[in-house]
Amino acid sequence: MAESTMQKIVSLAKRRGFIFQSSEIYGGLKACYDYGPLGVELKRNVKDAWWRDMVHRRSDIVGLDCSIIMHPNVWRASGHLAGFSDPLVDCRNCKERFRADKAPRAVPGAALTYREGGRKDGKKLEGVVPDRGYVCPVCGAGDLSDERQFNLMFRTSLGPVDPMQEILNNMDELHRLQGNERKQKLADIIGASAVYLRPETAQGMFVNFMNVLNSGRMKPPFGIAQVGKSYRNEITTSNLTFRTCEFEQMEMEFFVEPGTDDEWYAYWSRERFAWYTSLGMRPERLRLREHEQKELAHYAKACVDVEYFYPFENPEGEGEWGELEGIANRTDYDLKKHSEHSGKDLSYFETETKKRFTPYVIEPAAGADRATLAFLCDAYDEEVVDKEKNDVRTVLRFHPRLAPVKVGVFPLVKKEGMPDRARAIMDELLGEGINSFYDESGAIGRRYRRMDEVGTPWCVTVDTETLEQGTVTVRERDSMAQSRVPAAGIGDYFRNRLKSS
Ligand code: GAP
């Protein structure tokens, strides 16, 4: 069977050093990935572009870098301890554990056939779709356990007390206690040292609202931005880095006066959509999807997702819309909750108007890994160069700002001093901070193709004319056009091209 686009992207990502399975030599770890030498550059460029456009290019947004482990009361106040959960179900037939809200929908009462144990050679069984209207996503059976809420936060413990050891030390007492008293004792032992890996970066901005307001002399409307790791014990993980347990977020909380929130919500929805197209993402593969009332998180007045049409495989074929980023109007929910739980006033007093208010928050929350994956998928192209010769090139058409390597530098041949000139050019480019790659092996055409496959926008070739006239060949990735450019000042030349791209 022909490889799907996604399979080709996954295999290119591994072969060329973008994304590897984590701990691969030990069989890999489900839903955990490592970025290789090119992947780390790509993801860094995505995060840098976000930081530059959201923080450095604006006077109304400042940055923050908070700790991943925060006071457990942060998660009590935010509602994550009580409500950040997915409904989990066990299939009694094949033992698969899955998310009820992601299971395939089916008409209650409709007839079902499935195999015993979910095995291909298992006995054929018959059943009906249960009233809840879904079946097991793996074996298709309707014999399912009740739904249980499963909290997505990773719990760990802080300090010298190991809660497991404490439970062992208290075994006699735990045996004596009954029912709720025993449960309470266990909860007390675990709770004494329990802390959580943050499931979103956002709360760091809310709890530091007053610190930033006072130290940075900011006043609404203004934003606090952060890029960093978040952790969720996701049950359903799929499609490379799309949904993983450890991922990076790029979030910004924009604090505004109540009453101006709808306007700012519309503004940030437009801005964030435009950010992806400004970095070359194809607009026809992007859309804004407004959440219906029933989908809204408990804190949100409105929410719109920027979605990308990923080339994921699914029963209907190739391609499916997936969330890249959510823009939410979180109202004053978070600041008020943290005020209530901490006892600290988090309202703002506007001296000019003598008005006091708790700001509303508009939050554009993006995923760095999801955006990196979307840019990788969007850049992927197979171009027929010569149909008769069956010459097809694989090219990643990254925007130059995102391309992991900006310039490939080659000597045409490995003699006549060309390698030395090429290396000098490479050093000049690296000195300018332009990530470049030197390659002298194989035919020049193959070297160009290798650079196309990793999305390098330009190649420079040192040839006889370089030695005689001081010019080099510059070859464009997208058009494959070639031109001659003076070798002197090549660093300035590419700096300008990057700036104007
Ligand atoms: N503070 C709001 C918030 O965290 P979210 O929609 O849960 O909202 C924001 O997350 C973004 O973070 C998502 O749009 C997605 O890009 C990314 N994200 C969330 N969960 C993820 C996961 N398990 N793996 C990779 N990225 C994830």
Side-chain angles (χ1 to χ4, degrees), residues 44 81 88 475:
R44 182 176 288 266
L81 263 177
L88 275 200
R475 186 259 194 186

Side-chain angles (χ1 to χ4, degrees), residues 421 461-463 465-473 484-487:
R421 283 299 289 273
T461 303
V462 168
D463 49 26
E465 276 186 59
T466 314
L467 309 178
E468 289 166 0
Q469 292 167 21
T471 59
V472 289
T473 300
R484 295 217 66 90
V485 169

Side-chain angles (χ1 to χ4, degrees), residues 200 202 232 234 241-244 247 249 251 299 323-326 330 363 365-367 370:
E200 61 171 16
R232 295 181 192 176
E234 298 277 6
T241 50
F242 181 79
R243 190 182 303 283
T244 52
F247 54 97
Q249 291 187 305
E251 296 197 289
Y299 52 74
E323 178 188 334
L324 251 184
E325 165 162 1
R330 291 182 78 126
E363 174 193 70
R370 261 191 216 177

Side-chain angles (χ1 to χ4, degrees), residues 24 52 109 216 297 330-331 335 377 379 463:
E24 196 185 354
R52 193 172 91 171
R330 291 182 78 126
T331 68
L335 288 181
C377 293
D463 49 26

Side-chain angles (χ1 to χ4, degrees), residues 51-90:
W51 194 263
R52 193 172 91 171
D53 294 340
M54 295 293 280
V55 182
H56 287 171
R57 283 191 162 165
R58 303 187 63 113
S59 57
D60 56 354
I61 300 180
V62 290
L64 198 68
D65 185 9
C66 304
S67 62
I68 284 168
I69 296 174
M70 302 173 76
H71 195 291
N73 283 348
V74 169
W75 310 112
R76 229 156 255 136
S78 68
H80 283 84
L81 263 177
F84 191 56
S85 51
D86 281 340
L88 275 200
V89 175
D90 288 308

Side-chain angles (χ1 to χ4, degrees), residues 31 80 84 152 199-203 205-206 230-234 236-237 240-253 276 291 299 303 305-306 310 323-328 330 363-371:
H80 283 84
F84 191 56
L152 296 181
E200 61 171 16
T201 60
Q203 297 303 322
M205 274 85 94
F206 298 128
S230 290
Y231 298 82
R232 295 181 192 176
N233 198 357
E234 298 277 6
T236 312
T237 52
L240 214 60
T241 50
F242 181 79
R243 190 182 303 283
T244 52
C245 293
E246 174 176 343
F247 54 97
E248 265 184 285
Q249 291 187 305
M250 308 183 291
E251 296 197 289
M252 194 274 290
E253 311 301 322
Y276 293 97
H291 283 211
Y299 52 74
C303 185
D305 285 344
V306 182
Y310 290 89
E323 178 188 334
L324 251 184
E325 165 162 1
I327 299 113
R330 291 182 78 126
E363 174 193 70
D369 304 270
R370 261 191 216 177

Side-chain angles (χ1 to χ4, degrees), residues 8-27:
K8 289 180 191 167
I9 292 171
V10 171
S11 108
L12 185 148
K14 179 173 180 199
R15 186 163 34 84
R16 299 307 309 268
F18 282 91
I19 302 171
F20 307 129
Q21 176 81 60
S22 161
S23 327
E24 196 185 354
I25 59 168
Y26 291 103

